Amino acid sequence: MSRFPRSVFDHGTEPDIRFTLANERTFLAWIRTALALLAGGVALEVLGLDLVPHLRLAASLTLVISGALTPGLAWVNWMRTERALRLEQPLPGSLLGPVLSVAVSVSAVLVLLAVLL
């Protein structure tokens, strides 16, 4: 019986279970981050704060789009890391940190401008 996804589990040998579980915890942490981004984006728009409307909408959309993309990127990162563990190779870098840093920074600047203008 093979495990899902086969593109990961058909390669290499079974790594130390602690590393596999740590990889899974990291994946779940990114899912929680995605939910927080979605909630923040929706709240920003729904609460009707007294901000410049088009800047508030842009900040909200940035957060919601980031929240929608994060689970996909987290899945790719989980697969790359798990495969590297199974093949005893160096761990790959993650795209999530830089992408979300830019997205949150852009949202913060938009909210700041919406408050100041």
Side-chain angles (χ1 to χ4, degrees):
M1 180 175 169
S2 67
R3 293 162 40 193
F4 179 79
R6 293 183 63 184
S7 62
V8 171
F9 291 112
D10 282 352
H11 301 282
T13 59
E14 197 68 32
D16 185 334
I17 189 67
R18 293 174 294 177
F19 300 134
T20 296
L21 293 175
N23 190 27
E24 188 171 323
R25 282 192 300 272
T26 302
F27 172 74
L28 294 173
W30 285 118
I31 298 301
R32 287 190 299 271
T33 301
L35 290 172
L37 289 166
L38 289 169
V42 169
L44 189 59
E45 193 57 29
V46 170
L47 291 177
L49 302 173
D50 189 24
L51 303 172
V52 176
H54 65 278
L55 292 174
R56 184 184 67 212
L57 178 62
S60 176
L61 288 176
T62 301
L63 290 173
V64 169
I65 291 169
S66 301
L69 293 176
T70 297
L73 291 173
W75 177 254
V76 169
N77 193 53
W78 174 85
M79 287 195 320
R80 293 172 59 212
T81 300
E82 191 67 26
R83 187 179 305 162
L85 288 170
R86 296 182 67 82
L87 297 174
E88 297 181 10
Q89 294 177 342
L91 297 180
S94 174
L95 292 173
L96 280 162
V99 168
L100 290 185
S101 295
V102 169
V104 171
S105 295
V106 167
S107 291
V109 168
L110 289 169
V111 169
L112 181 63
L113 289 173
V115 169
L116 295 175
L117 296 179

